[in-house]
Amino acid sequence: FERDLWGIVNNAGMCHPGNVEWTRPDAYKRVMALNFHAPVGIIHDLLPHIKKSRGRIVNVTSVCGIVSSPSNSTYCSSKFALEALSDSLRVEMMPFGVGVVVLEPTTMKTPLGMGWSDMWKKNYDEADPLRKSHHPAEWADKFHDKVSSDLVAAGENPFITVKEIANALVLPVQKARVLCGVGAKGYRILGMMPDKWRDAILKDPIGGIGKGDESPLC
């Protein structure tokens, strides 16, 4: 670099929705490759330049790095991993004046966010019939329609996150974590709840799976 590098923003992401039971292990490898291993490689290669400039590293995770939700284990696993990396890195970089900031967006009106339920249905349709035998097609159609409606209602303006990325790069005083969007505050509360309460909230919104309607999705 002819000039010092000031900032790194890790924001690329993908998901592979589906229940753990019918999600193949290679899906986890693909999601982790982009959502976690790619940021690890970028940070590793560019960190000497960031240390020289006493700059910033901004890792965009998700509310899925706060609470792991059913049918989204590949994505949540990768976001929890990036949060853990950020926590370690933030403390390691304190002596060098390098800031490490985690942004946690809620559901945004992006192709990834609004297309989640369609991706889920595609993965369900392609899953091994034996693996999904306790989740009939009628249930899957209802689940898809319910989640699609919920995502449209909950989705927020992605420029909320864009603004926070800019703030994380330029503001002199930084927080370790920044919630992006009104919905993110709910996830923070959800993450502090006892496991039993949180599980009851996150259970199958359609019901009818397993022993009555109290059976969770995963």
Side-chain angles (χ1 to χ4, degrees):
F1 289 91
E2 296 181 0
R3 295 185 178 182
D4 293 341
L5 177 66
W6 169 256
I8 298 171
V9 177
N10 287 305
N11 187 43
M14 65 172 291
C15 65
H16 185 100
N19 286 24
V20 173
E21 185 175 10
W22 67 65
T23 299
R24 293 176 58 85
D26 63 306
Y28 291 87
K29 294 180 181 179
R30 292 196 303 273
V31 174
M32 290 292 288
L34 180 61
N35 293 5
F36 178 68
H37 292 293
V40 168
I42 292 169
I43 291 169
H44 179 269
D45 290 347
L46 299 180
L47 193 54
H49 302 283
I50 296 293
K51 286 175 64 178
K52 184 178 179 181
S53 66
R54 299 172 69 88
R56 303 275 170 78
I57 297 171
V58 181
N59 290 327
V60 182
T61 62
S62 168
V63 291
C64 293
I66 302 173
V67 173
S68 188
S69 54
S71 279
N72 208 21
S73 61
T74 60
Y75 187 72
C76 293
S77 297
S78 70
K79 294 304 182 179
F80 267 86
L82 190 54
E83 293 251 350
L85 172 75
S86 302
D87 286 344
S88 297
L89 182 63
R90 184 178 63 254
V91 178
E92 293 170 3
M93 290 295 104
M94 286 174 66
F96 307 102
V98 173
V100 179
V101 183
V102 171
L103 303 185
E104 299 169 327
T106 187
T107 301
M108 296 291 174
K109 290 188 182 298
T110 62
L112 183 71
M114 297 298 98
W116 189 94
S117 56
D118 289 340
M119 287 186 284
W120 180 92
K121 186 59 165 58
K122 178 177 182 293
N123 294 334
Y124 170 86
D125 290 341
E126 295 176 352
D128 183 339
L130 291 177
R131 289 275 180 169
K132 61 182 180 182
S133 60
H134 291 98
H135 296 78
E138 182 181 0
W139 170 87
D141 289 338
K142 291 179 180 178
F143 182 89
H144 170 268
D145 293 345
K146 175 71 165 63
V147 173
S148 296
S149 176
D150 290 348
L151 289 173
V152 171
E156 298 186 36
N157 190 334
F159 280 96
I160 295 171
T161 304
V162 174
K163 179 182 177 181
E164 294 298 350
I165 290 173
N167 288 340
L169 288 171
V170 302
L171 293 182
V173 178
Q174 295 295 330
K175 297 179 180 179
R177 283 176 170 77
V178 178
L179 298 173
C180 302
V182 175
K185 298 177 182 178
Y187 275 84
R188 179 61 68 194
I189 296 171
L190 196 60
M192 294 186 291
M193 287 183 178
D195 291 341
K196 199 167 186 177
W197 295 7
R198 185 170 58 251
D199 291 351
I201 293 172
L202 294 175
K203 70 176 182 179
D204 178 6
I206 302 303
I209 299 299
K211 295 181 180 180
D213 290 354
E214 300 303 315
S215 177
L217 272 132
C218 295

